[in-house]
Amino acid sequence: MSVIKRLAAARPEELDPGREVDQVTRSTELSRAMMGSRATGGTDGVRAKGTRRQIAWPMWGLGLVGAAAAAALVVTTTVSGPADDAGTGRQAPPASGSPAVKLDARTVLLAAAERSAGQPEQAGAYWHSTRLSRNYYRIGSAADGYTIYTESRSDGWTPRATGQDQWSREQNLGARPASPADEAAWQRAGSPTKFTIELPTVKGPQGKGRLKKFVVTTDATRKPAHVSHSPLTDGDKVFWLGRNVTMKDLRGLPTDPARLKAWLLASYDGHGTESTSEKMSSDQWLFTVAGGLITDMPITPKVRAAAFRMLANLKTVESVGTVKDGQGRAGSAVAIVENTKAGGVQQRRLIIDDATGRALGSDIVAVKPAGTTAGMPAGSVWNSTTIVTDEWVASPPR
């Protein structure tokens, strides 16, 4: 049976200068930054480094400033609306009458490469992407605790031509219990409207200076969207891929897996994507950077296929099985395990649509919770990003 047929048989049925960022968005971004190279799956902020506002896939965290974690950030937020069970990281059930088959990571990735290579080539004036990002927080004690998540939406328009502005639209969508069980626990706790979330905060430069606590207050009602625009970094840099790259760089990346790997590793220097003090293996670095390439950037179908094939050759990448993304869509997930200082052992997942070979989104899962994830049940998602839109369009918002 071919790779594609095996995969099909196992598939279930199923920027901004000049404005103040709302507080829940700011606290969300800061919490990701404190995790070093986290969210992320990410590629969060894979816009070229140096831009005033960076958006994209939170899982990977490539554009955020990493920092050492210590002390606590206190975040106050408010719950709104009924619970939503989607996106909690639970395995999707197999289709009725179908056996539960967990394919190995190489099979999943090679199938994605085959599907990707067959997609039509497209191009336009602006690359438009839409992302829904969630951060999950554990509230209360182990006996009566529950999980909430905060959610935001980010849209970005990246110009293909130089000399044009990049545009963004961001919106805070509020907070709510993460599942029906969490909502029930929240109700038993008296349906509180505010929560105190403690997270490690940031030391001074080079780890010096006194530790501080930040208090961020917000309600969880849906906020108005903010639209902004700014020039490209250096006039032509659009994304970060181990280094700032132009649209021409992206469109001309190698389509051979070995050559693509060599191109990416030319920027690898033994540390993470955020901090030179954070050691990171080449496999972890490639998974992080190639994840951003696959999920966020306007590359050709053949380059995306090469990226999948490159990841298929990494022995440390493992198969998770079928999971649901933040919108309840089922896909096959592959992952790499990371041992972090701030968040304990965690699993960084890439969720792939079996039918098209395109990424659906990403999760970061607390395998052995510690630090920022302390108190969360092992196996809990603490950060997720869902890809809503990836398309070429004729113009930015007006």
Side-chain angles (χ1 to χ4, degrees):
M1 184 180 292
S2 71
V3 168
I4 295 301
K5 288 182 179 179
R6 287 177 61 197
L7 196 57
R11 188 178 180 222
E13 295 175 352
E14 308 214 329
L15 290 85
D16 77 345
R19 78 163 177 85
E20 182 179 355
V21 182
D22 66 86
Q23 290 182 319
V24 71
T25 299
R26 188 183 303 280
S27 65
T28 297
E29 292 180 348
L30 180 58
S31 69
R32 295 179 196 138
M34 291 184 299
M35 294 299 291
S37 63
R38 315 298 158 241
T40 147
T43 59
D44 180 33
V46 290
R47 290 284 180 94
K49 290 187 176 182
T51 58
R52 288 290 304 276
R53 191 85 174 115
Q54 298 170 331
I55 62 172
W57 195 25
M59 173 177 174
W60 307 98
L62 303 187
L64 297 174
V65 179
L73 168 66
V74 179
V75 181
T76 306
T77 187
T78 307
V79 156
S80 68
D84 184 343
D85 194 35
T88 56
R90 297 181 176 87
Q91 297 255 102
S96 176
S98 299
V101 179
K102 179 181 174 181
L103 302 179
D104 62 274
R106 180 174 176 81
T107 298
V108 172
L109 288 163
L110 290 179
E114 185 175 343
R115 290 296 196 195
S116 294
Q119 296 295 317
E121 173 63 67
Q122 297 178 335
Y126 286 83
W127 175 248
H128 173 222
S129 62
T130 305
R131 303 291 182 266
L132 291 177
S133 304
R134 292 180 178 179
N135 275 350
Y136 293 78
Y137 305 101
R138 192 68 180 170
I139 306 298
S141 65
D144 61 2
Y146 52 91
T147 301
I148 65 168
Y149 67 83
T150 59
E151 186 171 42
S152 61
R153 172 181 170 129
S154 295
D155 285 79
W157 289 262
T158 304
R160 187 177 185 187
T162 59
Q164 305 295 317
D165 279 7
Q166 58 188 348
W167 291 71
S168 70
R169 179 170 61 205
E170 301 187 30
Q171 186 176 20
N172 168 23
L173 301 179
R176 62 179 63 194
S179 72
D182 292 312
E183 183 176 26
W186 167 68
Q187 291 174 342
R188 289 194 298 271
S191 303
T193 58
K194 292 187 178 181
F195 307 94
T196 297
I197 304 166
E198 295 188 357
L199 297 172
T201 189
V202 182
K203 288 185 177 181
Q206 290 78 49
K208 299 178 181 179
R210 299 179 62 183
L211 301 178
K212 298 181 179 180
K213 288 186 178 181
F214 295 87
V215 178
V216 181
T217 59
T218 182
D219 62 56
T221 56
R222 182 185 295 259
K223 297 293 193 302
H226 295 277
V227 178
S228 61
H229 61 99
S230 62
L232 296 176
T233 300
D234 300 329
D236 62 353
K237 304 300 189 299
V238 291
F239 288 96
W240 186 89
L241 195 57
R243 55 186 181 271
N244 285 346
V245 295
T246 65
M247 190 66 75
K248 183 178 179 180
D249 292 333
L250 287 179
R251 305 298 287 179
L253 285 171
T255 57
D256 174 76
R259 290 180 56 215
L260 179 62
K261 180 179 181 179
W263 192 98
L264 293 173
L265 285 178
S267 298
Y268 173 65
D269 199 23
H271 57 74
T273 59
E274 299 302 319
S275 172
T276 57
S277 64
E278 175 203 9
K279 293 183 179 179
M280 181 178 281
S281 71
S282 59
D283 277 13
Q284 288 179 314
W285 194 90
L286 282 170
F287 191 87
T288 301
V289 176
L293 180 67
I294 290 167
T295 59
D296 288 320
M297 303 186 196
I299 54 178
T300 67
K302 290 184 178 180
V303 171
R304 184 174 290 105
F308 279 129
R309 292 185 176 113
M310 179 193 70
L311 293 179
N313 290 326
L314 300 183
K315 295 182 179 180
T316 53
V317 177
E318 61 187 26
S319 174
V320 176
T322 301
V323 302
K324 290 183 178 181
D325 69 5
Q327 297 300 292
R329 301 174 299 184
S332 295
V334 295
I336 197 164
V337 174
E338 305 170 329
N339 194 347
T340 71
K341 294 180 180 179
V345 179
Q346 57 191 29
Q347 185 186 65
R348 184 183 295 273
R349 295 177 176 178
L350 174 63
I351 306 171
I352 303 167
D353 179 26
D354 300 332
T356 65
R358 298 298 296 266
L360 295 175
S362 62
D363 291 334
I364 303 180
V365 176
V367 177
K368 295 182 179 179
T372 56
T373 59
M376 298 186 74
S380 298
V381 172
W382 74 264
N383 177 272
S384 73
T385 300
T386 303
I387 300 172
V388 178
T389 303
D390 272 336
E391 61 183 357
W392 286 101
V393 296
S395 63
R398 298 298 182 186

